[in-house]
Amino acid sequence: MTVVSAKTLGLTFHTNDGDVVALSDVSLDIEKGEFVSFIGPSGCGKTTFLRTIADLEQPTSGTLTINGMTPSEARQKRAYGYVFQSPALFPWRTIEKNVALPLEIMGYPDADKKARIARTMELVNLTGFERKYPWQLSGGMQQRASIARALSFDADLLLMDEPFGALDEIVRDHLNSELLKLWARTQKTIAFVTHSIPEAAYLSTKIVVMSPRPGRVTDIITSTLPSERPLDIRESPEFLAIAHRVREGLRAGHSYEETA
Amino acid sequence: MTAIWRSRSFAVVAVVAVLIVVWYLGAVLLNLQPQLDTYQRSGAAVPALPQLINDLWSQAKPILPAPHQVLGEVWNATAAQDITSKRSLLLQGWITLEGTVLGFLIGTALGLLLAVYIVHNEAANRSLMPWIIASQTIPILAIAPMLVVGFNAIGLMGLLPKALISTYLSFFPIVVGMVKGFRSPDQMQLDLMRTYNASRWTVFWKLRWPASTPFLFTSMKVGVAIALIGALVAELTYTGGGGLGVRLLTGSYNGQTVVMWAVLVVAATLAAALVVAVGLAERLTLRGMGAQPA
């Protein structure tokens, strides 16, 4: 079943410096249960594409459907959970209250709310930190809390915009393997934006390589890695071959050239 | 040993000590010529320095009363005075406090309503803000009598007109502060609420309102202090109701500088107490909201 379907999608921003083509002729499908990474240098439109799926930006041409609905309908049906670049936790709420935020807004009954908080906190390994305030947690834990918040209302689609970009590499490795376990347990469809080649190669079932000016898709790579992925799979020849192909895709899109 | 020099209380004490010394010196310099004139008129010789200084610091109507004269008057007009007497600065202070607090509460409510409206309505943002700013460029001393007379004409008398002058001054910092406060959530937090398909009402109560709490208290500290100024100015205009402003005015008519200074000390203490009270409420509230200890 196709969850996200984009056909010749285009998005042009009108700025004071003239038009910026953020997305040009993007066509791709995300199937149910896939883990799709979007990789490319800044300005390639990967975040814009994710925001368009989330109805946070409006495409200027082409069509985009989520579960067969328009992005706006999908948003109103709360069809996805969104994880931002920074945790964006509300500092005046405890961690459990932050996780409860979407549940409150969507009007879940109290008992159900409690059960969902307990379950998602356990999913992201934050059990025991319910009553802490965000500032009492490390950056990695805060981002896990924000993932719990996105999972709490059980949307089938999880949109993640460079969720681990601000974290150091050791924490990032750990969270990557946690995320894979979480994905396996929840069977979610995940769209994941990153600018780390190893991260994309390690996590994904499908990697979408993008390039800037105009933002477009230069390659779509289907992963040959098994679904069981220990951290040291990243030294295997299959992994290196995928990383190599990603790099080739980036080079083909002139992503390595200096621009003023 | 060096710790005492760096401590905050030492700095406060040191500044106060310097101020007191300067004040006493000022009392000598400013009161000297009138005192010499007095000696000349009565034909007395200028006395020796200790007596001269004593005379300078104990005049009945000095240009600048010495600190101990002012504190003596404060004592006489508060602790040593029957609280029901018109001369009691506790009574007059209470009258001023009533107007201040009522006006401040109305001003805070008005300021909040305006800020909510401005943040949610672009037309209001463009049309209201210039008027709100213009309202504060009119000297309060000029507008207060007109407001009091106008309120009188429609049958509003006593506490409320006075409070409304306080409102006029105190709503302003609340509007300005809270417009900024309601806009303080970052784009990511607003986007997050949008992904939940949250209504504007929900975004306000769950995000904008709690995010603006620190702004509210900062604005309230400014607002409560100028609300007191508003009440004093209103009392200068409408003397029938009493209050510290009236004592200030009668003191000024009669050249009772010691009384005027005593009123100033009481008014300043009142203002400080109000600001401290708001500060205390702020600390309790922010602690309740899980703020990181400074």
Side-chain angles (χ1 to χ4, degrees):
Chain A
M1 198 189 120
T2 306
V3 178
V4 177
S5 172
K7 287 190 181 61
T8 62
L9 197 72
L11 197 160
T12 305
F13 289 115
H14 304 287
T15 70
N16 291 334
D17 292 340
D19 289 356
V20 176
V21 182
L23 292 174
S24 164
D25 196 25
V26 174
S27 297
L28 70 101
D29 287 344
I30 300 176
E31 302 298 327
K32 187 165 172 49
E34 275 193 307
F35 194 127
V36 181
S37 285
F38 295 85
I39 187 166
S42 20
C44 72
K46 56 193 190 297
T47 292
T48 306
F49 184 64
L50 207 66
R51 289 176 61 85
T52 311
I53 298 174
D55 190 36
L56 296 174
E57 307 286 352
Q58 307 307 319
T60 42
S61 63
T63 58
L64 177 64
T65 58
I66 290 98
N67 295 330
M69 295 177 281
T70 66
S72 170
E73 286 165 351
R75 179 174 62 81
Q76 282 163 39
K77 289 239 166 77
R78 284 119 177 189
Y80 64 84
Y82 201 104
V83 179
F84 292 87
Q85 286 169 8
S86 75
L89 298 170
F90 292 0
W92 54 86
R93 283 173 173 255
T94 57
I95 295 304
E96 63 178 353
K97 285 276 168 57
N98 266 291
V99 174
L101 177 71
L103 304 175
E104 284 173 25
I105 294 173
M106 298 172 193
Y108 282 80
D110 273 353
D112 193 14
K113 214 153 62 183
K114 266 205 179 121
R116 281 166 181 275
I117 293 167
R119 198 180 67 225
T120 45
M121 292 287 281
E122 193 265 307
L123 266 175
V124 298
N125 281 331
L126 275 181
T127 307
F129 294 92
E130 290 88 351
R131 301 286 160 84
K132 298 283 185 197
Y133 282 96
W135 62 269
Q136 293 170 302
L137 268 55
S138 68
M141 290 166 92
Q142 288 184 25
Q143 196 55 286
R144 265 150 55 191
S146 92
I147 294 171
R149 185 178 57 187
L151 291 172
S152 64
F153 53 99
D154 266 336
D156 288 330
L157 175 62
L158 194 56
L159 306 174
M160 306 181 87
D161 183 9
E162 293 186 42
F164 310 137
L167 304 174
D168 68 63
E169 196 156 343
I170 298 166
V171 176
R172 182 191 275 231
D173 277 355
H174 173 64
L175 291 186
N176 279 342
S177 66
E178 294 282 298
L179 181 60
L180 275 187
K181 281 184 210 145
L182 192 147
W183 173 61
R185 275 180 67 181
T186 58
Q187 306 283 307
K188 303 269 179 207
T189 309
I190 299 183
F192 187 96
V193 166
T194 179
H195 47 217
S196 157
I197 296 171
E199 191 171 68
Y202 175 67
L203 292 172
S204 318
T205 55
K206 195 153 94 182
I207 301 166
V208 178
V209 184
M210 298 182 75
S211 69
R213 287 171 300 277
R216 64 196 187 281
V217 176
T218 50
D219 196 7
I220 296 179
I221 303 158
T222 303
S223 179
T224 53
L225 295 180
S227 55
E228 190 67 31
R229 299 177 187 183
L231 270 175
D232 49 19
I233 202 167
R234 295 184 297 183
E235 283 135 43
S236 70
E238 293 98 318
F239 182 93
L240 295 176
I242 293 168
H244 177 75
R245 195 169 148 197
V246 172
R247 225 169 257 117
E248 286 299 310
L250 291 171
R251 191 169 295 127
H254 307 286
S255 296
Y256 288 119
E257 286 164 26
E258 293 277 353
T259 48
Chain B
M1 192 55 212
T2 54
I4 191 165
W5 295 99
R6 288 186 188 164
S7 78
R8 194 171 150 188
S9 48
F10 175 79
V12 172
V13 169
V15 169
V16 169
V18 169
L19 280 178
I20 289 176
V21 168
V22 170
W23 193 345
Y24 270 110
L25 284 177
V28 168
L29 292 173
L30 289 172
N31 299 335
L32 184 60
Q33 194 57 49
Q35 186 68 48
L36 292 177
D37 293 346
T38 309
Y39 291 142
Q40 202 173 29
R41 248 180 279 124
S42 64
V46 177
L49 199 58
Q51 182 59 41
L52 175 62
I53 292 208
N54 187 46
D55 285 350
L56 288 171
W57 286 347
S58 55
Q59 292 176 355
K61 295 180 173 183
I63 291 177
L64 179 63
H68 67 266
Q69 287 179 282
V70 174
L71 290 181
E73 177 61 26
V74 169
W75 176 262
N76 287 336
T78 53
Q81 183 65 257
D82 178 13
I83 197 154
T84 56
S85 161
K86 275 197 156 187
R87 289 173 179 275
S88 166
L89 287 184
L90 287 179
L91 174 70
Q92 305 297 345
W94 175 253
I95 293 172
T96 304
L97 184 67
E98 280 180 326
T100 303
V101 170
L102 180 62
F104 170 66
L105 291 178
I106 301 174
T108 304
L110 178 67
L112 281 172
L113 284 177
L114 283 170
V116 170
Y117 188 40
I118 287 170
V119 167
H120 288 95
N121 187 314
E122 183 53 31
N125 180 30
R126 287 179 194 216
S127 59
L128 276 179
M129 218 47 198
W131 287 104
I132 288 168
I133 291 164
S135 76
Q136 302 300 305
T137 62
I138 302 165
I140 189 67
L141 265 175
I143 206 166
M146 291 189 279
L147 286 178
V148 169
V149 171
F151 287 138
N152 229 324
I154 57 167
L156 274 180
M157 273 176 270
L159 184 60
L160 195 59
K162 183 164 86 177
L164 288 177
I165 307 285
S166 291
T167 301
Y168 186 90
L169 288 183
S170 60
F171 88 98
F172 181 69
I174 307 283
V175 176
V176 175
M178 290 312 279
V179 165
K180 201 167 166 58
F182 289 148
R183 287 184 180 151
S184 66
D186 60 35
Q187 192 56 48
M188 222 176 264
Q189 291 171 324
L190 291 168
D191 280 346
L192 179 74
M193 295 303 267
R194 191 174 150 79
T195 68
Y196 302 148
N197 194 32
S199 65
R200 268 149 68 108
W201 183 249
T202 305
V203 173
F204 180 79
W205 284 115
K206 299 228 182 268
L207 177 57
R208 292 190 194 276
W209 174 253
S212 68
T213 310
F215 293 83
L216 176 63
F217 284 105
T218 308
S219 307
M220 279 167 69
K221 279 187 203 165
V222 180
V224 79
I226 59 172
L228 182 76
I229 306 286
L232 287 171
V233 169
E235 285 162 0
L236 296 180
T237 320
Y238 172 70
T239 52
L244 291 175
V246 176
R247 282 300 283 156
L248 203 60
L249 203 61
T250 52
S252 141
Y253 283 153
N254 303 324
Q256 294 165 308
T257 44
V258 183
V259 172
M260 293 171 67
W261 278 91
V263 173
L264 288 185
V265 168
V266 172
T269 310
L270 206 54
L274 288 170
V275 172
V276 167
V278 174
L280 212 63
E282 175 179 27
R283 272 189 22 211
L284 288 174
T285 308
L286 292 184
R287 191 183 302 164
M289 290 173 71
Q292 186 168 4

